[in-house]
Amino acid sequence: MTAFTFGEATMRALAQAADGRGRGRSSAKPHRTGAPVRRDSIEAGTFEDMFFATPAKGECDRLIRMARTALDAGRRVRREARGQGRVLTGPERLLASLTAGAVRVYEELCTLARLNGGKVYPSYDRLASATALGRATVARALHILEEAGFLVRQRRFRRVEGEGPGPRWEQTSNAYRPTVPKRLLSLLPRWLRPAPVPEDALQHIADQAEEQERMKAQLSCRELAQLTTGGALGRVLARLGATLDAVLPSRESHVNPEPLPDSFIKRHNASTSTVETLQ
């Protein structure tokens, strides 16, 4: 008979109890909270069209060069701060947190974005296999990249078919969108920063916005509701706007009223002065 210490016996009993509870279910390791899906997860297939963005020509290569340069800049900043005996600022700390593994994972994500038109949702195991890194290293790299602003990550879950008691959904791979780290641009070389928008382009944008506001002011309530709101809410607001248009035939008179005639103003002023004299 094999003898066990009290701690070993306790661990074996807990393992047997967990194995008994898990019989007949998936062998996947449950989350620490015990929930079937993680917090802030969205159902797969309901948001991807608005989340993913098709990268422009050469954009993925530019992001990869930016990540590689940021890795070198982070090492330089960390070395200079150590020599000067000062504490890193917030952006500098994010820059110095980049690792070679994080940059390698980012290269793989950008490559997938270029090949798949911006649709990137690999699993941790897929990234670990493609980068020859451990699964835990991939998880740490994704967290570093997200904190530094190099990517946007959205957790997802999917519905599953099943019978009997139990959840009807499970966690699935995350969705990723590579982005420009705006908080770190000031620490990167100038040639990596996007070119400033010309003043004439800014003025053209401002003129367009002013013209759109002027056109909206001339619309009826029903037309304004149809233009600015869609779906069921837009239809309800359009019906309400049509009722308001019937009560107020000229919306323009309330938004941009015509000036009163001079004769009316003179009569009004004269009557006001007469009342004040009598009082």
Side-chain angles (χ1 to χ4, degrees):
M1 179 177 180
T2 306
F4 298 101
T5 63
F6 179 77
E8 292 176 346
T10 303
M11 294 300 294
R12 288 174 62 88
L14 292 175
Q16 292 176 359
D19 181 65
R21 288 195 303 267
R23 288 175 182 172
R25 299 183 182 179
S26 173
S27 60
K29 184 178 179 180
H31 297 298
R32 289 175 294 179
T33 60
V37 298
R38 304 192 68 176
R39 184 180 301 175
D40 299 329
S41 298
I42 302 178
E43 185 176 0
T46 61
F47 70 97
E48 285 82 355
D49 291 340
M50 296 180 294
F51 180 82
F52 293 128
T54 304
K57 183 178 181 180
E59 181 180 358
C60 294
D61 295 332
R62 184 170 67 90
L63 291 175
I64 292 175
R65 288 197 303 270
M66 187 176 295
R68 293 172 179 172
T69 306
L71 177 62
D72 298 334
R75 292 169 177 170
R76 182 169 55 254
V77 167
R78 186 167 55 247
R79 184 171 58 252
E80 292 176 354
R82 189 184 304 114
Q84 298 172 1
R86 64 179 180 86
V87 180
L88 296 175
T89 63
E92 287 177 342
R93 191 177 299 108
L94 292 176
L95 188 66
S97 66
L98 284 176
T99 61
V103 174
R104 179 66 189 91
V105 171
Y106 193 65
E107 291 174 354
E108 184 64 23
L109 293 176
C110 290
T111 301
L112 292 174
R114 182 176 59 246
L115 297 177
N116 300 323
K119 298 179 180 180
V120 185
Y121 44 90
S123 63
Y124 281 19
D125 294 334
R126 167 69 174 80
L127 290 174
S129 176
T131 59
L133 298 173
R135 199 175 187 277
T137 304
V138 170
R140 270 194 313 272
L142 292 173
H143 177 72
I144 292 172
L145 293 170
E146 186 178 17
E147 289 293 322
F150 277 98
L151 63 83
V152 178
R153 172 171 54 171
Q154 176 58 58
R155 294 185 177 127
R156 305 188 305 163
F157 70 91
R158 63 181 179 182
R159 299 179 181 272
V160 294
E161 299 294 335
E163 297 180 357
R168 291 292 180 267
W169 51 82
E170 64 181 3
Q171 199 75 33
T172 186
S173 61
N174 301 326
Y176 304 95
R177 185 175 71 245
T179 58
V180 176
K182 296 181 179 180
R183 295 184 60 185
L184 306 182
L185 288 179
S186 60
L187 302 175
L188 298 179
R190 193 176 186 85
W191 60 272
L192 282 174
R193 306 174 196 174
V197 182
E199 293 184 1
D200 56 344
L202 293 175
Q203 185 61 39
H204 179 66
I205 295 173
D207 294 341
Q208 282 186 330
E210 185 179 354
E211 179 66 17
Q212 289 179 357
E213 291 299 327
R214 187 185 65 81
M215 294 178 62
K216 287 182 180 179
Q218 298 177 354
L219 297 176
S220 64
C221 296
R222 181 181 62 84
E223 293 171 339
L224 184 62
Q226 291 176 339
L227 177 65
T228 58
T229 310
L233 178 60
R235 291 191 293 270
V236 172
L237 293 178
R239 290 196 296 269
L240 179 60
T243 304
L244 292 176
D245 293 333
V247 177
L248 305 173
S250 178
R251 180 175 180 268
E252 184 178 359
S253 62
H254 297 272
V255 177
N256 188 19
E258 294 290 337
L260 296 174
D262 294 338
S263 58
F264 178 83
I265 296 176
K266 291 179 180 179
R267 290 197 303 270
H268 175 72
N269 293 336
S271 60
T272 304
S273 59
T274 303
V275 173
E276 291 177 352
T277 304
L278 293 176
Q279 291 177 348

